[in-house]
Amino acid sequence: MQIQRERRPRCCTSPQGLLPRYSETQAEGQEQLFRLTDSIQDEFFIAVEHIDSYCVLISSKAVYFLKWGEYVDRDAIFLEIKYDDLYHCLVSKDHGKIYVQLTKKAETTSSGIAIPGPSHQKPMVHVKSEALAVKISQEINYAKSLYYEQQLMLRQTEEQETLDLNY
């Protein structure tokens, strides 16, 4: 006889580095991220926000906008932006509607020179309220800054780890 699971498992940390209070929505979001990434352990769950029939899934490497359902696969993603390609995220208003605008970085020119700054590619996703748009924008920008912080961090090699263990 197997014991029935009471709630979904999760493996995440809060900005303070501790295990945050349990949230069914966040646990479900983490489970969906593992399905999207085939359980690859180097992409961590940060947040999920539900907006009508879709959701924003924010991970340590990318932001996914996807149709929400019982079982989510890569076909449910209608917008995926990796932080390497993201310049910034803003709240935008157009004709009384509120959007989350994701500005991509400028592309490399044909001569191989990378142009610093934003590009003209600015996908926008409709959001039902300004407060939610601000929250999503802040979470995406926070995750992007964490991503770049991780990129700049010095990594210890196996040789250095062995040396540390010998002392």
Side-chain angles (χ1 to χ4, degrees):
M1 187 170 150
Q2 278 191 329
I3 298 172
Q4 194 75 12
R5 192 178 280 279
E6 285 292 318
R7 59 186 193 183
R8 298 171 195 266
R10 64 199 177 117
C11 180
C12 57
T13 57
S14 68
Q16 295 83 19
L18 304 171
L19 186 65
R21 176 177 283 155
Y22 185 81
S23 163
E24 181 67 27
T25 305
Q26 299 296 322
E28 185 180 358
Q30 181 177 354
E31 191 173 82
Q32 298 294 8
L33 175 67
F34 284 139
R35 284 186 188 147
L36 290 175
T37 61
D38 297 322
S39 300
I40 295 173
Q41 299 294 319
D42 67 335
E43 187 168 357
F44 300 104
F45 172 80
I46 294 179
V48 65
E49 296 294 336
H50 291 276
I51 307 154
D52 298 328
S53 63
Y54 66 95
C55 77
V56 181
L57 189 58
I58 302 167
S59 79
S60 60
K61 293 190 173 188
V63 59
Y64 305 93
F65 288 84
L66 48 107
K67 295 176 220 124
W68 197 252
E70 189 61 36
Y71 181 79
V72 174
D73 60 2
R74 299 231 24 114
D75 294 336
I77 299 171
F78 62 87
L79 178 62
E80 174 183 354
I81 299 181
K82 299 201 179 307
Y83 297 129
D84 280 332
D85 301 330
L86 182 65
Y87 185 71
H88 62 209
C89 181
L90 301 170
V91 175
S92 177
K93 292 181 185 176
D94 188 24
H95 301 304
K97 292 188 177 184
I98 300 160
Y99 297 90
V100 171
Q101 177 181 304
L102 298 127
T103 305
K104 291 186 173 185
K105 289 181 180 174
E107 298 289 322
T108 306
T109 62
S110 58
S111 62
I113 300 170
I115 302 168
S119 75
H120 297 292
Q121 293 182 343
K122 299 178 182 182
M124 295 184 357
V125 180
H126 180 261
V127 180
K128 57 187 171 188
S129 74
E130 187 172 359
L132 184 58
V134 167
K135 182 179 179 186
I136 291 169
S137 177
Q138 287 174 343
E139 288 174 335
I140 292 170
N141 287 325
Y142 171 73
K144 179 182 174 265
S145 67
L146 282 180
Y147 173 77
Y148 281 109
E149 189 176 299
Q150 290 293 317
Q151 299 299 313
L152 297 173
M153 192 165 32
L154 294 175
R155 306 273 185 231
Q156 197 171 31
T157 64
E158 286 184 31
E159 185 179 303
Q160 289 171 324
E161 287 177 18
T162 309
L163 289 173
D164 289 344
L165 292 173
N166 291 335
Y167 287 107

